[in-house]
Each structure stands twice: as C-alpha cells, then as structure tokens.
Amino acid sequence: MRVSNSVSRLADYYRRHGLGTTIRRVGVAGRQAFFAGRMVVFYCNLDEQRLRPIGVPNILAVKRVNTLAELSAEHLREMTSFWNPRLASRNIRERFDKGASLWLVEFESHLAGFGWTLQGRTIEPYYFPLAQNDVHLFDFHVFSHYRGRGMNPYLIDRILDVFATNFGGRAFIEVAEWNDAQLSSLRKTPFRCLGFVRSFSIFDHTLVSWRSGPPVLPFKELGVAPRVL
Ligand SMILES: CC(C)(COP(=O)(O)OP(=O)(O)OC[C@H]1O[C@@H](n2cnc3c(N)ncnc32)[C@H](O)[C@@H]1OP(=O)(O)O)[C@@H](O)C(=O)NCCC(=O)NCCS
C-alpha cells in the first residue's frame, strides 16, 4: 500500500475515532506487523479432560449449526456485515461444504459471538496432521458490544465439553502472538500452550518452524469457572 494511502486512512481514522483510539490502533498495527505470521498453538486432551459441570446461565445459549440452511438470515447478516459481506458469505458456505460446524453464543436471544470447529482435519494446511477424533477450533469472534464479558471462554468451554463427551481426541486452536485479547481469553479455558510456530506455504507444501518456548504451559487450573458477565 502506498504511503499516501496509509496517511489518508490514518487521518480518516483519527477524524472518526479521536486521538486516544488512533494511538491505540497504531500500537496494535505495529504489533501485528512485528509478529506477522507468528502463532501460539494451544491443545486440550479431551479424553482425559475432566471438564467441570458448568451451570448454564439462562441468559446465555450456545447453538450448533451444521448447514447454511440452518443459519437464520439475520445471523448470517450479522456475521458478514462487519467485514466484506461477499467474501465472508463465501467463506461460510465453503466451511459448511467442508463439514465444519458453526457455534453461536447468544445473550438474551441476541447473537453475541461465534466460532467454528472441524473434526479430523483443517480448512487450511495445518502445522501437523490431525487424527480422526481431533477437532480444530478456529475463527472465533465476539461482537464488540459483548467483549470482555467471558462470552468467548464460555463458548469454547461448551464446545470442548461436547467433543469431550462424544468423541475424546484432542482439540487445537491457534492465535496470533499479537492478539492479547484472545491469549487472555484462552487462559480462562482448559487449553494449554503447545508451542510457538511460524509457517510458510509454498505451492502445496507448508513449511513449519517451531520456536523454542515452554512446550507445555499450564495456563489454567481445571475447576476455575469462566467469568461470565
Ligand atoms: C478475542 C475475542 C474473541 C475475545 O472474546 P471475549 O468474549 O471478549 O473474551 P474475554 O471476555 O475472555 O476477554 C478477553 C480479553 O479481551 C479484552 N477486553 C476486555 N474488554 C474488552 C472490550 N470491551 N473490547 C475489546 N477487548 C476487551 C481483555 O484484555 C480481556 O482479557 P481480561 O479478561 O484478562 O482483561 C474478541 O476480543 C474478538 O472477537 N476479537 C476480534 C476477533 C479475534 O481476534 N478473534 C480471535 C482470533 S481466532
């Protein structure tokens, strides 16, 4: 992108959001550039997982959607309107076609966030092959109005609970190193850090480089309830 474009986008952002938010946004962009492509991979052993019984608050509901036909037009619109709607809709269709499940978390019947799972494989090339019972969790999103209220860890806990009860295997999720919000959120779930990784795809091959770091970092004591509201 040309420098003049970046400057005009920055000026536009400043006009709309003010100085404080613009400084914060520049900080995030710097971190994203610095940590580009560097991910932290987390795992959870579902077969030995003693997932705690979670009291389900009445105001929260988690729903699993397996086909595009099951997704309401309103939810589809909410999921696609904050990004490029055409691309987002195409992604959603492709994911369902590949057998992925969409998980919705609703707060007082309003869509608060969502995340995806795919069993036995991943949509994109991954750092290692998955076994049949393994599940990949990806692309979690909580709408800005609901952030910081434990929606994401609650949704992830519910998903892990379903897979632990029905399949065993292992669950994997990865997060960009710069993404403090998701890193902090995952600390409230049973996920543990497997390692730090960087990958490059060339033609049909993916080159993976693991960086030294704590191989197994217990991020969370089981039994600590997630903070919901
Ligand atoms: C990452 C994300 C899913 C977390 O969802 P969440 O339901 O807000 O998760 P939590 O309630 O556990 O909050 C996680 C962290 O978000 C940050 N946070 C708190 N309030 C926030 C707010 N109003 N807005 C933004 N972030 C906030 C805090 O750092 C919090 O950590 P803390 O509880 O230790 O202070 C959400 O921020 C999001 O959708 N981000 C954009 C998409 C994304 O990055 N997805 C992850 C990649 S797969």
Side-chain angles (χ1 to χ4, degrees), residues 140-142 147-153 179 181 184-185 188 227:
F140 279 71
H141 188 94
V142 169
R147 286 184 191 166
R149 299 159 79 179
M151 299 287 164
N152 189 56
N179 196 337
S184 175
S185 201
K188 302 167 202 164
R227 182 163 55 83

Side-chain angles (χ1 to χ4, degrees), residues 2-225:
R2 289 173 44 195
V3 174
S4 57
N5 281 355
S6 305
V7 171
S8 100
R9 282 186 59 186
L10 191 63
D12 184 49
Y13 193 90
Y14 168 70
R15 261 193 305 281
R16 283 185 289 127
H17 300 283
L19 184 62
T21 309
T22 305
I23 290 172
R24 272 195 298 279
R25 185 66 191 92
V26 169
V28 170
R31 276 171 63 74
Q32 284 175 350
F34 188 75
F35 289 116
R38 286 161 59 163
M39 309 294 284
V40 190
V41 180
F42 291 83
Y43 80 97
C44 175
N45 283 330
L46 295 168
D47 46 359
E48 59 186 49
Q49 191 61 45
R50 296 175 307 280
L51 289 172
R52 60 202 170 275
I54 302 172
V56 183
N58 287 338
I59 42 175
L60 287 179
V62 169
K63 292 179 182 162
R64 182 178 188 171
V65 178
N66 291 313
T67 63
L68 191 56
E70 291 172 45
L71 186 63
S72 75
E74 191 189 343
H75 285 163
L76 179 63
R77 189 187 50 73
E78 287 175 281
M79 285 179 60
T80 54
S81 57
F82 66 93
W83 194 47
N84 179 324
R86 209 161 53 88
L87 263 183
S89 304
R90 196 178 69 192
N91 267 350
I92 290 172
R93 205 171 311 113
E94 278 175 5
R95 288 169 182 187
F96 281 131
D97 287 349
K98 287 183 174 172
S101 292
L102 170 66
W103 299 77
L104 308 174
V105 58
E106 291 180 352
F107 176 81
E108 291 178 335
S109 304
H110 296 288
L111 185 62
F114 60 86
W116 290 85
T117 59
L118 183 57
Q119 240 185 325
R121 62 200 178 108
T122 51
I123 300 277
E124 303 285 341
Y126 205 52
Y127 312 113
F128 40 79
L130 265 59
Q132 203 182 345
N133 274 352
D134 292 346
V135 61
H136 183 221
L137 281 72
F138 61 100
D139 206 2
F140 279 71
H141 188 94
V142 169
F143 295 105
S144 50
H145 180 63
Y146 297 98
R147 286 184 191 166
R149 299 159 79 179
M151 299 287 164
N152 189 56
Y154 178 75
L155 176 61
I156 288 176
D157 274 9
R158 298 313 308 145
I159 293 172
L160 293 179
D161 199 26
V162 168
F163 282 96
T165 306
N166 296 297
F167 301 105
R170 300 163 301 172
F172 296 99
I173 191 169
E174 67 286 343
V175 50
E177 271 188 51
W178 56 262
N179 196 337
D180 289 335
Q182 179 69 323
L183 287 168
S184 175
S185 201
L186 288 179
R187 284 189 195 107
K188 302 167 202 164
T189 74
F191 271 114
R192 289 162 183 236
C193 179
L194 183 65
F196 299 82
V197 71
R198 230 180 157 155
S199 67
F200 314 87
S201 286
I202 302 172
F203 301 113
D204 280 344
H205 298 279
T206 302
L207 305 177
V208 176
S209 140
W210 290 91
R211 199 154 50 82
S212 59
V216 175
L217 183 62
F219 261 148
K220 174 169 195 289
E221 289 298 317
L222 292 179
V224 179

